[in-house]
Amino acid sequence: MNTRMPITIINQVEDIAKEEQTDKSAIVRKLLNRAIKEWKLEKVANMYKEKKITLEKSAEIAEVSVRELINYLKEKELEIGNLSAKDIAEDIRHMYKRIA
């Protein structure tokens, strides 16, 4: 994959690569992985908030554990709209019943 980037970004990638003592490609992969994970978490958090998918399905799509997703929601202090703590607890109970 080839892409054009502003010189400021190229310089920043080079600086990070020097600091981490690795090559620029490794840094770009690392940063892209982080950005993709964050994008997925934002996407599923919004879908969950809108009650389009369950907590379990949200975690599955984002490729994280349910606990990690809950921590993300807390950390970002995302509003979860009409969802109460009771709704979330019910989602978790339902998930564990299905697993057991």
Side-chain angles (χ1 to χ4, degrees), residues 32-44:
L32 278 174
N33 282 334
R34 283 184 186 174
I36 290 168
K37 182 177 182 178
E38 183 70 22
W39 181 86
K40 285 181 181 181
L41 284 166
E42 286 178 23
K43 178 182 174 181
V44 299

Side-chain angles (χ1 to χ4, degrees), residues 57-94:
K57 187 65 176 175
S58 299
E60 181 184 322
I61 291 169
E63 299 177 13
V64 297
S65 69
V66 171
R67 181 175 301 280
E68 190 174 350
L69 179 58
I70 291 170
N71 288 339
Y72 173 81
L73 294 171
K74 279 191 207 174
E75 179 184 304
K76 295 296 182 179
E77 296 179 356
L78 295 177
E79 290 293 323
I80 51 175
N82 300 330
L83 295 171
S84 66
K86 183 180 175 184
D87 291 330
I88 295 169
E90 188 175 313
D91 257 1
I92 292 170
R93 272 194 305 279
H94 183 268

